Amino acid sequence: MKVDVSIQPGNSIRALYLFFIISSIQIGVGIIGAPRFIFTEAHRDSWISILIAFAYICILLLAMFWILNQYESADYFGIQVDIFGQWLGKLLGTILIVHLGVSFFSILLTYIQVIQLFLYHTFPNLALSILIMILVLYTIFGGLRVVVGVTFILFLSTIWLLFVLYDPMTRMNWYNLLPMFETSFPDLLRGARATAYTLSGFEILMIIYPFIQNKNKAKLPTFLGVTFSTFIVLLVMIITIGYFSAEALEHIDWSLLILFKTASFTFIERLDYIVVVMWLMVILPNLVLLLWAMVYGLRRLYKLPEKISLWLITALILILVNFFEYGYEVFQVTDIVAKYGFWITYVYPFLLIPIILVKNKWKKRQGSGSG
Amino acid sequence: MWRKKTETKIKENKKETDIFPIKLDKLEKILKREFNNDPDLKFNQYTVGDKRVAVFFIDYQIDSDQVQKGLLTPLVHFDRKQLKLSIKNLQNNLPLSTGSTIDKLEMILSKLIIGEVFIYIEGDNETLSYLFPIKESRSLEKAETESLVLGPKISFTESLAKNMNIVRWRIKSPDLIFEEFKIGTLSPKDVRLVYMKNLANDDDIQTMRQRLQELDVDEVEDAIVLKQYLEDSQTNLFPQFDITERPDRFTYGVTKGKVGILVENSPSGFIAPATMFSFLESTEDLYMRWQAGTFLRILRFLAMFFSILVTPTYVAALTYQYAIIPTQILISIGQSRAAVPFPPLFEAILLELILELLREAGARLPTKVGQTMGIVGGVVIGTAAVEAGLTSNILIIVVAMSALASFTTPSYLFGTTIRLIRFPLIILAGLFGLLGIVFGLALIIIHAVRLTSLGRPYLTPIYPLQIKDFNKILFRTPFNHTSKRAKSYRPKSIRRYSKEDANKTRDID
């Protein structure tokens, strides 16, 4: 397996789209339920937790870019094989693909649950999954150009949902945020860790990077993307704290959707219905990017044709969704992703740095020794 | 589709070709046999000096006055000039442009059809032919399917020569190229690839040229049919090249660096590559002031969405999510629907179908009866349907609004696509409510992102994003902001005029 990936010029994308890729993949189902988890840990100082998480992600992204810049145009799969050798590298790559797969699955399940809760209580999991998978497959069969295009256009067509938040914002109580800085630092860190599931997904950078046309300009859009999605999470967090009482917030599962529920206009009522269905367009980029990364990774690692792996994964998903009937089961999946995903997304890249450093030094010594 | 032409087909047509020299009677016999004793094939024999000469042609394909004056009279009186009768002397002395000499029978046959007149001197090895075609065509008329309030009124006709003449007069530049192609094995049609030499993208020209060359069909009926043969995707819903009957729209595309196609016997040309937005663009936007142009263009864009979404939303809201409708409206909808026994899905499809029937009937009927159709549809069926309890008042308004909005699309083909998309969306809305609509919309978005036109993305300048092209494609701005051509179409030169000069402002007084 080659470490560096060579991309045909027709298949590459401009660095600009990293902004939309990163912020789209971060904003998904996580944000609907995140306020509760963060709030139970960090209480009314939750917004500080989000800022801490943001700072941590920025450092992490710097580390990722550092790793990527050690190579010409490599991705996670290539780098792992380069560092750990064929066998272990491929194993780690497989773990990464499984991680992406479980994330995909948890997003799908959570959305199905939301639909069942808000719209159709008896809508079978399978039917909804088939509908969503039709969209996902149709996109991925178009190649990366279509995947990025769909991400981009769906981002543009759902961004207006933010403005609906204006309505609950006018009715929130700013005093709920006071007194500030009361939460202890360990609790803040725990709160920051509770954002892990919501803000994860940016690890796609390590997979999509070889496809970027102008790699020297990749940093700015990436950081802006992370900033934008953090800003949205922060905004939602502050509004939820101000809108709900502390006791209520600890028990509200889908606080963001409840916020939308209160907004109404003279020509339309119950905006939450529209938000819930529009959320399909919000999670679609997530699903599409994750599944694309999975099939692409399988081709990189095992030379498995993308069309075959796509159908295999789809079949697997359509079988598995039937086993999750109740809310708590879905939460368990999300918990697993949050727990293990944390190590893969947030900690693992830092472990690579010393190994690469040592390896570079060893290579240099060997090179000078022989020469 | 684009298979290479096979050599065998040409060989099949090869018959006894080298028949010259030949006796006149025998030649006549051969020609009559080839044309199945067609009485319109005239074969005249003359004796000029000491030689026998035949002049033959197809009667209705030639201009007989011209033949009389320019060819027959000088030929019959040729012996007065004291010259020997030969092809060379004829060529030099007939008051016509130099004719061509032909010695193959199959060539003679194919040229007879297009209105050439042949002269054969008995005993010679070849024939001399002159072109005297007469081609019936209607005169130039006003554009019918794409009518505008402002701007030029002329439209293309079925005559390729006239169309080329119009285009050439609109773009008076030596850069304008008409490349000739013959399409069709059964009945070859003249096709012209039109582009600006130093403007149009070479890849676009080459792609189009290649598709034209590799197209192997027996016959293309019209430009619109040729367009479908050449398009990128047959399965896709959206039209991929922009067809028009307006020369101004055609030349507008060509001068922006696109590639145009004109086809013989077709009153329309088409422009490639096209984007989704070029179908919503009308040249009238240019003739208006920019504020009005922008307003109209955005209005059309919104109308497209409105037309697609409004009936499905009605169905979804009334079937499942009625809570999104404000209470007062819900009450009046409830009252008007109280008499209707059908579910909203059935009701909506019924009414939409009636509307489509009216539209189709109106398009097929002669104009005078067509007007009555509108009255019958609007007044009689509409009111009666409500009173009979088949549909609700509100739905009539909804369907009428959606139809009205779909009429605003400048391109008839694109309008038809919008008409078509509504039905699956209505069914999805009936099955899954609002979720079905969002599903359908997402599917349309993916469908459009996947599409290319002549290999170029269909949704540019939105994706791939070209913010600087927004004011040329999505809306209009004052002319000093449009000093460059749209980059999305990748023209060879992007500069239209000097931006500095356009921005130069005079001081007061």
Side-chain angles (χ1 to χ4, degrees), chain A residues 225-330:
Chain A
V226 169
T227 314
F228 181 76
S229 42
T230 315
F231 166 74
I232 291 177
V233 175
L234 195 64
L235 188 76
V236 170
M237 191 69 230
I238 290 175
I239 296 176
T240 5
I241 295 174
Y243 194 86
F244 298 105
S245 70
E247 296 80 41
L249 190 51
E250 287 188 21
H251 299 285
I252 294 175
D253 278 342
W254 311 113
S255 42
L256 178 61
L257 294 178
I258 313 272
L259 279 184
F260 281 115
K261 207 170 192 163
T262 60
S264 87
F265 301 97
T266 48
F267 53 92
I268 205 159
E269 278 177 11
R270 287 299 296 272
L271 219 68
D272 60 318
Y273 282 164
I274 292 176
V275 173
V276 167
V277 295
M278 281 300 281
W279 218 260
L280 176 63
M281 288 194 172
V282 177
I283 63 151
L284 204 54
N286 284 330
L287 298 177
V288 163
L289 284 167
L290 286 174
L291 190 53
W292 173 83
M294 280 162 72
V295 291
Y296 170 73
L298 285 175
R299 199 189 71 188
R300 283 274 285 149
L301 291 178
Y302 303 109
K303 296 205 167 51
L304 195 61
E306 282 174 342
K307 277 187 181 163
I308 293 176
S309 53
L310 208 48
W311 286 116
L312 284 179
I313 294 172
T314 309
L316 192 67
I317 285 168
L318 289 183
I319 293 168
L320 283 179
V321 280
N322 298 306
F323 294 104
F324 293 85
E325 217 172 307
Y326 303 105
Y328 69 89
E329 292 167 337
V330 178

Side-chain angles (χ1 to χ4, degrees), chain A residues 267, chain B residues 280 298-314 352 394-409 414 418-419 421-422 425-426 437 441 444:
Chain A
F267 53 92
Chain B
L280 300 167
I298 292 173
L299 184 75
R300 265 183 241 123
F301 199 64
L302 294 178
M304 179 184 81
F305 276 108
F306 186 79
S307 170
I308 292 176
L309 284 180
V310 69
T311 323
T313 312
Y314 171 89
E352 286 277 0
I394 308 276
L395 183 64
I396 297 244
I397 300 173
V398 165
V399 169
M401 281 199 302
S402 124
L404 201 62
S406 74
F407 286 135
T408 56
T409 328
F414 198 72
I418 292 176
R419 265 162 79 179
I421 287 177
R422 277 211 309 261
L425 270 182
I426 291 174
I437 299 180
L441 275 184
I444 293 170

Side-chain angles (χ1 to χ4, degrees), chain A residues 14 16-17 115 119-120 123 128 131 135 138-139 141-142 145-146 149 152-153 266-270 273 277 281, chain B residues 320-321 323-324 326-327 432-435 438-439 441-443 445-447 449-450 452 457 459 462-465:
Chain A
R14 274 187 286 162
L16 164 79
Y17 296 112
I115 286 284
L119 292 176
Y120 314 109
F123 208 139
L128 206 49
L131 279 186
L135 296 177
Y138 192 40
T139 311
F141 275 123
R145 193 188 73 84
V146 176
F152 172 62
I153 289 178
T266 48
F267 53 92
I268 205 159
E269 278 177 11
R270 287 299 296 272
Y273 282 164
V277 295
M281 288 194 172
Chain B
Y320 299 99
Q321 284 88 23
I324 64 167
T327 323
F432 305 116
L434 289 178
L435 186 69
V438 174
F439 170 79
L441 275 184
L443 207 57
I445 290 175
I446 300 168
H447 199 58
V449 174
R450 284 179 64 121
T452 55
L459 285 182
I462 299 279
Y463 177 74
L465 189 65

Side-chain angles (χ1 to χ4, degrees), chain A residues 48-177:
Chain A
I48 306 178
S49 292
I50 294 172
L51 288 181
I52 294 172
F54 173 63
Y56 184 82
I57 291 173
C58 285
I59 299 168
L60 188 62
L61 280 175
L62 281 178
M64 283 182 170
F65 274 114
W66 184 85
I67 296 171
L68 288 170
N69 286 337
Q70 301 301 307
Y71 296 86
E72 188 102 341
S73 115
D75 54 7
Y76 241 145
F77 306 111
I79 293 171
Q80 282 172 339
V81 167
D82 183 52
I83 297 174
F84 300 110
Q86 287 287 343
W87 200 81
L88 195 59
K90 277 190 178 176
L91 181 73
L92 287 168
T94 317
I95 292 175
L96 186 68
I97 290 173
V98 171
H99 162 66
L100 295 174
V102 181
S103 305
F104 179 96
F105 197 59
S106 78
I107 293 170
L108 186 69
L109 279 180
T110 314
Y111 185 65
I112 290 175
Q113 212 207 341
V114 170
I115 286 284
Q116 285 171 344
L117 216 59
F118 278 75
L119 292 176
Y120 314 109
H121 308 292
T122 53
F123 208 139
N125 281 2
L126 185 65
L128 206 49
S129 312
I130 289 176
L131 279 186
I132 294 174
M133 288 313 285
I134 287 175
L135 296 177
V136 174
L137 287 187
Y138 192 40
T139 311
I140 295 177
F141 275 123
L144 183 68
R145 193 188 73 84
V146 176
V147 168
V148 176
V150 167
T151 304
F152 172 62
I153 289 178
L154 291 185
F155 178 90
L156 292 187
S157 42
T158 50
I159 196 75
W160 61 272
L161 289 173
L162 266 188
F163 296 101
V164 185
L165 280 177
Y166 174 77
D167 186 79
M169 213 200 280
T170 53
R171 279 180 281 137
M172 64 180 267
N173 185 357
W174 287 95
Y175 291 108
N176 277 4
L177 288 166

